Amino acid sequence: MKQLKLTGFVIFLFFLTESLTLSTKPQDVDDVSITKKFIEENVGYITIIIFAQYIQEASFEEVEMLVKTMTEYRDKCLADMTLPECSELANDVLLENICALEGLPQKHNFSHCCSKVDLEKKLCFFHHKKADVGFLPPLPTLDPEEKCQTYKNNRESFLNNYIYEVSRRNPFVFAPTLLTVAARFEEMTKTCCEEQDKANCFRTKAEPVIQYLKASSSFQKNVCGALIKFGLQVLESINIAILSQKFPKIEFKELTSLLEDVSSKYDGCCEGDAVQCIRGRSKVMSHICLKQDSISSKIKECCEKKIPERGECIISSNKDDRPKDLSLREAKFTESENVCEERDANQTSFMAEFLYEYSRRHPELSTPELLRIAGVYEDLLKEGCHTENPPDCYRHVEHRFNETTEKSLKIVQRECERSQNLGKEDLKYYYLIKLTKIAPQLSTEELTFLGKEMVTALTTCCTLSEEFACVDNLMDLVLGELCGINENRNINPDVDHCCKTNFAFRRSCFEGLEADKAYVPPSTFQGLFTFHTDLCQAHKEELQRKKDRFLVNVVKLKPELPDAELRSLLTDFTNVVVKCCQAEGPEACFNEEGPKGSQ
């Protein structure tokens, strides 16, 4: 059951607001003033995040120049808030200063963004972000002793550099999340630098931090992709489903009020406006705790905690108990004679209330499945409300809901059976081949990442009592990674159709995809069958990464081959590595054996 916490954590992630230096005062203080103070104290970290996410190619030295400029701006405005420049929005000031750095816009190819104004300017910088960070050098790694000495000598520079490196590699992660990661990294550094076996300490304590960042990134990219590609209504549907399951006793009117705070903050968070994102999240947290009596009985202790801890507490709290007087179904949507009239009076509100009522009654369903049910109901009413006797159309709609869930359940069952039959490694190879065949245009790095994430979803969820919701939620996040955030991301017509046509039903759409027949493979793949002795020195994990990359690149080169033949080429690669690394002259062996694979 411990693993399942990750799923609830991912699905409820947008409530987290933590920081490195946020004042630790009780809940009854003015949250607005605390948030303001937090932003002022963390202006350096916030500047690094925004700059490194927008201009990922920028050097650390260039980022430090902007930090100096923005810190001076803060000090000037704290001294005299009546200055004209102090009335501007923080994100606008930051973008102006990025553009003012001499030669930088030309060097990093964003001068066209600097010539734009207001929203166009902000969106231009947003579209400059690159999800595939393969163009960046490998993440620098320090020896544990060296890491501790660097932290001891200059804590600020050490943390600044860490935030810079993580931010540029995670351009769509929300600023509060990155600040949380940095806080946990510093906590880990303090602890491990006191240990005798520093290397083992860092290795052990880094894993949950990495998982937290990955889970946060996946969820945030998914909801931002939904907002940008499908609009506010789909985003609100996602939030209705999540909140109604988490807080089943909340009244619809209160939910609607909370939704205004939750949904409005996404514009800033998704576009990379760190200050607006932080303010929005703080407002959401305050709303939940202020109205906790009418929202949930499970968060009283959380809301009594100091501000940095309360977000984590609410996220990890269990779903509230279903109200005892809550009927198994809401008759208003199936039994009433006036369903069509109520729908026509305010279609958006009517469908929101339906999703709320259905979600709070079905904690066992995934978020995508709840959206599918709502879609089925909406389509049925569109058709049925124009018939002579509408009640005949919607009175037996429950069986349509059951059919929809049954189809989704069968997909999950097939995937879990495959996971059980193949085992972890063979399952990964299955997905690497499948994903590369349907989307060969993606980079090798993206495809290997997606393949591993598919396996993680299934090995985490299959066999759990909540198997269906867990698998469906996590697999949907992987598809969100594949589809990406930007609406102008194009992979190939079939994949684009699944990504952009219907958010709720994209899983079943992808299920039916076959190899991209329009794809023209390269005539050769430079160095694919050229191996060297570095394979003999590679650690187990590094060798596995090379095998995964080899398989993906072979599929890109020879997509017409059946899966069994592609797996056979991977087996040949493994055998060559074993044979040549045991030979007296490994390099000569690789030179002889490697080219045979291309024949």
Side-chain angles (χ1 to χ4, degrees), residues 145-167:
E145 293 290 348
E146 188 182 353
K147 187 182 292 184
C148 292
Q149 195 58 49
T150 305
Y151 174 71
K152 185 179 177 182
N153 292 345
N154 194 332
R155 169 189 173 272
E156 187 177 352
S157 178
F158 178 77
L159 288 175
N160 283 353
N161 191 267
Y162 177 78
I163 292 173
Y164 158 75
E165 292 291 0
V166 173
S167 299

Side-chain angles (χ1 to χ4, degrees), residues 370-499:
L370 291 167
L371 267 58
R372 289 174 204 131
I373 296 294
V376 167
Y377 184 62
E378 186 172 19
D379 289 345
L380 182 138
L381 291 185
K382 275 180 189 172
E383 186 180 326
C385 286
H386 291 96
T387 61
E388 286 185 12
N389 193 356
D392 283 349
C393 183
Y394 56 73
R395 195 161 281 150
H396 305 291
V397 71
E398 285 286 343
H399 83 273
R400 291 280 297 274
F401 298 161
N402 294 337
E403 283 176 6
T404 304
T405 301
E406 196 62 38
K407 285 179 185 175
S408 302
L409 184 60
K410 282 180 180 175
I411 293 175
V412 168
Q413 287 172 337
R414 280 200 301 271
E415 286 164 334
C416 284
E417 284 173 14
R418 188 183 295 119
S419 174
Q420 192 174 5
N421 293 336
L422 292 179
K424 195 170 182 178
E425 192 168 287
D426 285 340
L427 183 68
K428 179 179 64 177
Y429 297 144
Y430 167 84
Y431 280 113
L432 289 178
I433 292 171
K434 178 181 173 69
L435 289 166
T436 307
K437 283 190 172 186
I438 67 171
Q441 296 82 2
L442 294 179
S443 71
T444 302
E445 287 75 18
E446 285 180 285
L447 288 163
T448 53
F449 170 78
L450 291 168
K452 285 189 283 188
E453 289 302 292
M454 288 279 196
V455 173
T456 299
L458 294 174
T459 53
T460 298
C461 301
C462 292
T463 73
L464 292 176
S465 57
E466 298 85 353
E467 175 183 279
F468 170 65
C470 184
V471 171
D472 204 37
N473 278 326
L474 291 191
M475 292 292 263
D476 188 67
L477 294 185
V478 180
L479 293 183
E481 292 272 4
L482 192 160
C483 292
I485 288 184
N486 288 328
E487 71 270 29
N488 56 0
R489 173 175 165 101
N490 295 307
I491 299 168
N492 63 54
D494 288 341
V495 171
D496 295 343
H497 171 77
C498 289
C499 287

Side-chain angles (χ1 to χ4, degrees), residues 219-236 238 270 371 476 480 483-486 499 503 506:
F219 178 76
Q220 289 163 7
K221 281 195 272 189
N222 197 45
V223 290
C224 288
L227 172 63
I228 291 165
K229 289 178 181 173
F230 297 95
L232 186 60
Q233 194 167 338
V234 168
L235 174 66
E236 291 204 338
I238 294 169
C270 292
L371 267 58
D476 188 67
C483 292
I485 288 184
N486 288 328
C499 287
F503 181 83
R506 63 184 178 185

Side-chain angles (χ1 to χ4, degrees), residues 8-63:
F9 162 78
V10 171
I11 296 305
F12 202 58
L13 237 153
F14 51 85
F15 287 112
L16 180 64
T17 306
E18 288 187 277
S19 70
L20 289 174
T21 61
L22 184 57
S23 304
T24 56
K25 296 182 181 179
Q27 169 59 26
D28 59 358
V29 290
D30 182 359
D31 286 338
V32 174
S33 64
I34 290 179
T35 305
K36 182 174 178 290
K37 187 180 179 189
F38 155 61
I39 292 166
E40 290 166 1
E41 291 179 345
N42 287 285
V43 69
Y45 297 131
I46 293 168
T47 299
I48 293 168
I49 290 168
I50 295 174
F51 193 10
Q53 288 189 322
Y54 278 145
I55 316 298
Q56 294 155 273
E57 306 90 340
S59 68
F60 182 58
E61 291 69 31
E62 289 166 337
V63 172

